[in-house]
Amino acid sequence: MRLSELEIGKKAVIVKVLGHGAFRKRIIEMGFIRGQEVTAELNAPLKDPIKFKIMGYEVSLRRSEAELIEIIPEGDGETLPDMTSHGTTEEVTLQQKAEVRGKTINIALVGNPNCGKTSLFNVASGANEHVGNYSGVTVDAKAGYFDYKGYRINISDLPGTYSLSTYSPEELYVRRYLNNETPDVIVNVVVASNLERNLYLTTELIDMDYSMVIALNMYDELEKSGAKLDYQLLGDMIGVPMVPTISRTGKGIDKLFDTIIEVYERRNKSVRHVHVNLGPVIEEGITELKDELKESKKHLQFSPRYLAIKMLEGDKEVRSLLASDENFERWNALSEKKRTEIEATLQEDIEQAIANEKYGFISGALHETFQKGEQEERSIPRTIDALVTNRVVGIPIFIFLMWVMFEATFVLGAYPAEWIEAGVGALCDLLHKYMPAGPLKDLLVDGVIGGVGSVIVFLPNILILYFFISLMEDSGYMARAAFIMDKVMHKIGLHGKSFIPLIMGFGCNVPAIMATRTIESRSSRLITILINPFISCSARLPIYTLLIGTFFPLHAGWVFLVIYLIGILVAIITAKLLRRFLFKKEETPFVMELPPYRIPTGKAIARHMWGKAEQYLRKMGGVILIASIAIWALSYYPHPDSAEQELTAQQRTEQQANSYLGRLGRFISPVMEPLGFNWKVSVALISGTAAKELVVSTLGVLYTGDADETETLSEKLLQPDPVTGQRDFTPLVAVSFLVFVLLYFPCIASIIVIAKEAGGWKWGAFAVLYNTAVAWVCSFLIFQIGSLFI
């Protein structure tokens, strides 16, 4: 609760003072410290300001000032040990609560892309957030917490950003988060071996005047280069303590959080507020505008100097924030006047002038504290870069690596998949032998084990796929893939930045669609969102593995690659159509960091793989289990009265055809038969609406009931239909089915995120209708043309 919300006549105990700089210092000096009792005495006639009593004297605060003081009100419901014997029950209890809550530190990790924020977040909080060595992995704030030396640390990992302007969605998000959430301490994560570029963001955070600690991450790379940094002196010069860290190993993390506690408790001697001097011409304009802004007490969560700089830069977000103030017109006129004068004097636009001065400040500080290493840049990374980005062999290398990934996913994953499949078959056979006939037995054998068991066997394949994706991302290769594909992306109306969300789609379309927030151009972002479902996600992998392993085992890697390339080709054609007919051409610069090559750690890859395994298992124990039971029930009822006896294979087939699910399947069969699909296959595709894994689960439920329960699903798909004598699946039907699964509408979660990120349900509906139409046409052509020759 904030002090501004305290009712008149009520008491409270102060927990902490938020805000920054001069305001925070002044209010603390007046006695507003943790554990101090305060009473709301009187409202002014217009409800603002408010008179409070603290430490025996009365003080007047505006509501905007009181809003930045966190309190515990009298009568708070939190229970603590009974203290009545000491005679001061309420006061002592409130002070205890204040002490406990005051030892909660809210910190935000802020830094450039690829600086290791998420690695630090994972090490500190034990979270399993994915770390990728390219921009755009963190598309939202990730929150975690842990206890450290008596303090509860709430930690937020913010998107990577190069500055705090409003050029990109990440920059705007970080700025709004810092302004709205007011963290107690900002941890500015910088790459120790690339200080000059990384410290530009630091200068902007200094302008905002928040409590801050700098984590000099990847410090081992600086030491290996032979460079030397007097980080203690540098921290003293800029007023921000610095701590060397190596996030991937956890080295320096304890020291970092010790320093955070010192800064939070105002015990660190390095902390002081400095101004990044921008030169006499700009400083004169800042000072005049800053003095005007100081008159208003409505924006205490912002530093007046920061607001003045942003006003001079013409920042739309800050202008919108201040527009409601009665003095805005005067401020705006003054800022325009000063901006014109500065640009006329310096003969350059003010944003460029400010950037030049900040880089000059950084260069001067490093000149005093940093000594470059004498080691030359290693030749091996340069050689690798020259090879993988070569215009002749770069794209073939990329395609080859994709093929290796798919071949390994199938070949290496086949062994553990066979073990799991054998275990599922043995369990199924055990229940079949010893359980009496009836609905319960059929539910367990056909519904639970047939449905969930059909999906769980593909867990090893999922893990191997994510192993390769993680390897390419963390090593820095994925950014090179975006680099070499930029020209291709440009020809379809996008640019290289769109390539990263598309590659992320190989894992899951949902986070991949969310990752499009890093694309500045709205039209490019919308096109990337709409074509992303054509990129084959890992949820489709069990379907591919089942059918390719059944019908094309000798050429599995190539078939995998062709299926994925078909999705990419359809995505390209769709992007061209969308750019031509729905979205005007909008050029945005292709600016993306190419991070240095790094050897991924086994711990990071294992964490990533375990996170996906956990997610997969949760899905099987949740939506897939429930859906499998529902599908079994719909395929089981109505059931013959003689449920005590086992049905023959032919009776089972007839019973399924007459079930509720069979009736639904026969209803839609006229639409799907031209593609080579019978009612069972059609129903399996419908079940994929909730999750694509359910397609395999549904097939596992529907293709059960034979006498030999040890048969795998692959073997059952090769069996002829007991009624027609024909196989439901042939190699041609399998190809038609694979292409339809690849292209038809995405799962519900993807549709929801498309609607959210694209800004309306019309785009979600578009994805459903367009993707399904494309899938139907492609599968129709494959099956009908193939039938002429096979």
Side-chain angles (χ1 to χ4, degrees):
M1 182 177 177
R2 301 298 171 87
L3 184 57
S4 57
E5 303 170 54
L6 186 64
E7 295 180 21
I8 300 300
K10 295 289 186 181
K11 295 180 181 180
V13 168
I14 295 170
V15 175
K16 66 175 71 169
V17 178
L18 306 174
H20 62 87
F23 161 75
R24 188 169 186 269
K25 186 174 185 296
R26 177 169 59 89
I27 208 76
I28 289 172
E29 289 171 348
M30 293 173 67
F32 288 83
I33 59 175
R34 183 166 69 229
Q36 192 61 245
E37 183 181 274
V38 61
T39 305
E41 298 239 310
L42 181 69
N43 273 322
L46 297 179
K47 301 289 186 181
D48 198 10
I50 310 169
K51 185 174 75 173
F52 297 99
K53 186 172 183 179
I54 185 169
M55 298 180 73
Y57 72 98
E58 296 176 343
V59 60
S60 172
L61 292 180
R62 291 186 176 182
R63 286 191 177 273
S64 57
E65 296 171 327
E67 173 69 21
L68 296 176
I69 301 174
E70 187 178 332
I71 61 168
I72 301 174
E74 189 177 42
D76 183 90
E78 184 179 341
T79 58
L80 284 173
D82 185 15
M83 303 290 290
T84 52
S85 60
H86 295 279
T88 54
T89 308
E90 193 64 34
E91 290 77 9
V92 173
T93 303
L94 286 179
Q95 287 170 350
Q96 285 183 332
K97 293 177 185 177
E99 188 65 27
V100 171
R101 295 189 192 176
K103 292 207 168 201
T104 297
I105 307 177
N106 301 312
I107 69 173
L109 302 179
V110 181
N112 290 182
N114 311 310
C115 69
K117 288 184 295 79
T118 306
S119 293
L120 194 153
F121 174 82
N122 286 339
V123 169
S125 67
N128 292 317
E129 297 302 334
H130 174 43
V131 185
N133 194 14
Y134 55 81
S135 169
V137 173
T138 310
V139 294
D140 212 335
K142 304 296 188 298
Y145 68 89
F146 62 99
D147 295 319
Y148 182 78
K149 295 188 176 179
Y151 289 83
R152 168 59 58 95
I153 309 288
N154 295 324
I155 182 170
S156 296
D157 175 24
L158 303 186
T161 178
Y162 293 106
S163 72
L164 294 176
S165 63
T166 54
Y167 178 69
S168 72
E170 311 103 298
E171 293 168 348
L172 185 59
Y173 182 91
V174 171
R175 222 167 78 174
R176 287 177 175 174
Y177 182 93
L178 296 179
N179 294 339
N180 297 335
E181 301 299 326
T182 320
D184 297 313
V185 181
I186 292 174
V187 177
N188 179 206
V189 185
V190 305
V191 179
S193 57
N194 194 359
L195 287 173
E196 189 165 8
R197 207 282 313 282
N198 278 246
L199 288 177
Y200 184 83
L201 176 61
T202 307
T203 64
E204 297 217 303
L205 293 169
I206 289 173
D207 289 338
M208 298 185 82
D209 198 13
Y210 281 106
S211 295
M212 184 163 57
V213 176
I214 293 176
L216 294 167
N217 204 26
M218 307 177 198
Y219 200 76
D220 54 332
E221 294 184 5
L222 180 143
E223 293 177 321
K224 287 177 183 176
S225 71
K228 294 180 180 179
L229 174 68
D230 188 343
Y231 58 84
Q232 184 66 52
L233 176 58
L234 181 58
D236 291 340
M237 289 174 62
I238 65 174
V240 182
M242 294 182 158
V243 181
T245 60
I246 306 173
S247 291
R248 69 175 183 274
T249 63
K251 186 176 180 180
I253 301 300
D254 286 348
K255 175 62 176 175
L256 175 66
F257 285 100
D258 288 340
T259 307
I260 289 170
I261 292 170
E262 288 177 2
V263 170
Y264 175 72
E265 297 289 1
R266 304 186 301 281
R267 297 196 303 258
N268 192 283
K269 296 179 181 179
S270 295
V271 175
R272 63 189 182 94
H273 180 54
V274 300
H275 286 168
V276 178
N277 192 293
L278 301 180
V281 177
I282 299 175
E283 285 295 334
E284 183 184 351
I286 292 173
T287 301
E288 192 169 340
L289 186 54
K290 178 184 69 175
D291 291 342
E292 289 279 341
L293 289 166
K294 279 183 177 179
E295 295 179 6
S296 174
K297 300 295 185 182
K298 293 183 179 179
H299 310 288
L300 289 170
Q301 70 271 40
F302 301 98
S303 158
R305 178 179 173 85
Y306 165 75
L307 293 176
I309 293 172
K310 290 302 174 184
M311 283 284 285
L312 288 173
E313 289 179 337
D315 191 287
K316 293 180 180 179
E317 181 82 0
V318 166
R319 287 175 183 264
S320 175
L321 173 75
L322 299 176
S324 60
D325 197 289
E326 58 188 13
N327 299 309
F328 175 71
E329 292 301 327
R330 188 172 84 249
W331 297 340
N332 192 42
L334 179 60
S335 68
E336 288 298 324
K337 177 187 174 185
K338 290 298 177 183
R339 178 189 179 104
T340 303
E341 291 175 357
I342 291 168
E343 290 184 341
T345 303
L346 298 178
Q347 294 295 301
E348 64 179 337
D349 69 86
I350 194 165
E351 290 183 3
Q352 181 67 46
I354 289 175
N356 288 341
E357 293 292 345
K358 286 190 171 182
Y359 275 116
F361 171 85
I362 294 167
S363 179
L366 292 178
H367 181 73
E368 298 290 331
T369 58
F370 180 70
Q371 181 181 338
K372 288 185 178 181
E374 297 179 357
Q375 294 183 15
E376 294 185 3
E377 186 180 352
R378 288 174 294 175
S379 59
I380 294 178
R382 287 205 304 263
T383 304
I384 295 173
D385 227 18
L387 184 64
V388 301
T389 61
N390 184 276
R391 66 174 186 167
V392 176
V393 300
I395 292 178
I397 287 174
F398 174 71
I399 294 173
F400 173 73
L401 291 176
M402 292 294 105
W403 174 80
V404 170
M405 179 172 71
F406 299 136
E407 183 74 7
T409 297
F410 180 80
V411 175
L412 298 180
Y415 298 104
E418 287 177 4
W419 304 333
I420 297 173
E421 198 169 40
V424 170
L427 178 61
C428 199
D429 189 47
L430 191 67
L431 293 176
H432 186 77
K433 286 182 179 179
Y434 293 102
M435 280 192 73
L440 179 60
K441 174 185 175 181
D442 291 339
L443 169 63
L444 293 176
V445 174
D446 300 337
V448 176
I449 298 176
V452 177
S454 300
V455 178
I456 197 173
V457 297
F458 300 107
L459 177 60
N461 305 93
I462 299 287
L463 292 178
I464 293 171
L465 176 69
Y466 273 104
F467 169 80
F468 280 96
I469 291 177
S470 180
L471 198 63
M472 288 191 289
E473 289 174 350
D474 295 351
S475 66
Y477 174 74
M478 204 63 84
R480 270 73 184 179
F483 173 78
I484 63 175
M485 295 298 291
D486 174 59
K487 190 166 186 178
V488 175
M489 303 302 291
H490 185 74
K491 286 184 178 295
I492 66 174
L494 301 173
H495 59 67
K497 249 189 177 179
S498 296
F499 187 69
I500 290 175
L502 296 179
I503 290 295
M504 289 178 68
F506 286 131
C508 179
N509 293 142
V510 172
I513 291 169
M514 293 174 68
T516 60
R517 295 176 190 174
T518 63
I519 302 172
E520 293 84 3
S521 163
R522 173 167 170 76
S523 64
S524 293
R525 186 162 64 250
L526 283 172
I527 293 173
T528 309
I529 288 170
L530 295 175
I531 67 175
N532 206 288
F534 291 123
I535 303 302
S536 205
C537 66
S538 61
R540 297 179 175 99
L541 187 62
I543 309 169
Y544 300 159
T545 306
L546 172 66
L547 292 180
I548 293 174
T550 301
F551 295 99
F552 312 104
L554 299 180
H555 308 286
W558 288 110
V559 177
F560 262 111
L561 184 59
V562 168
I563 291 296
Y564 278 74
L565 289 177
I566 289 173
I568 294 170
L569 178 63
V570 172
I572 290 172
I573 294 171
T574 300
K576 292 281 285 184
L577 293 173
L578 290 173
R579 179 60 81 186
R580 182 170 183 178
F581 295 109
L582 287 184
F583 302 103
K584 66 179 182 178
K585 194 166 185 178
E586 185 177 347
E587 294 288 349
T588 56
F590 175 53
V591 181
M592 187 185 70
E593 180 183 359
L594 293 178
Y597 287 103
R598 295 190 176 98
I599 299 175
T601 63
K603 185 177 180 180
I605 293 177
R607 181 186 285 120
H608 185 200
M609 292 172 64
W610 168 245
K612 293 303 175 184
E614 185 179 30
Q615 181 182 342
Y616 193 67
L617 292 171
R618 286 178 184 274
K619 186 183 284 189
M620 282 191 294
V623 62
I624 292 176
L625 175 61
I626 295 170
S628 297
I629 293 173
I631 291 166
W632 170 84
L634 291 172
S635 69
Y636 190 79
Y637 295 102
H639 200 73
D641 294 334
S642 57
E644 294 80 10
Q645 298 180 356
E646 295 283 353
L647 298 178
T648 64
Q650 183 170 342
Q651 289 174 329
R652 172 70 170 171
T653 302
E654 293 173 350
Q655 181 274 319
Q656 282 187 337
N658 293 318
S659 67
Y660 300 122
L661 197 64
R663 295 170 192 175
L664 173 63
R666 291 202 305 274
F667 176 75
I668 63 173
S669 279
V671 178
M672 307 304 285
E673 281 175 357
L675 314 183
F677 306 156
N678 68 353
W679 72 266
K680 290 184 180 181
V681 178
S682 303
V683 165
L685 290 169
I686 292 175
S687 70
T689 304
K692 289 294 180 279
E693 295 96 338
L694 283 172
V695 173
V696 173
S697 181
T698 303
L699 293 174
V701 171
L702 294 176
Y703 285 91
T704 53
D706 297 334
D708 184 6
E709 291 295 337
T710 60
E711 277 190 341
T712 65
L713 180 56
S714 296
E715 293 169 334
K716 291 174 182 177
L717 294 180
L718 294 171
Q719 299 299 321
D721 186 284
V723 176
T724 64
Q726 302 292 321
R727 289 194 301 176
D728 292 343
F729 275 95
T730 64
L732 180 59
V733 172
V735 172
S736 176
F737 186 76
L738 286 170
V739 171
F740 195 90
V741 167
L742 166 71
L743 301 177
Y744 84 127
F745 60 86
C747 65
I748 288 176
S750 294
I751 295 170
I752 291 172
V753 79
I754 287 172
K756 179 182 176 184
E757 297 297 323
W761 282 100
K762 67 178 180 179
W763 297 116
F766 175 86
V768 171
L769 298 175
Y770 175 80
N771 291 29
T772 305
V774 169
W776 194 93
V777 170
C778 291
S779 291
F780 175 82
L781 293 174
I782 288 171
F783 183 74
Q784 295 299 327
I785 294 174
S787 297
L788 298 177
F789 301 97
I790 300 176

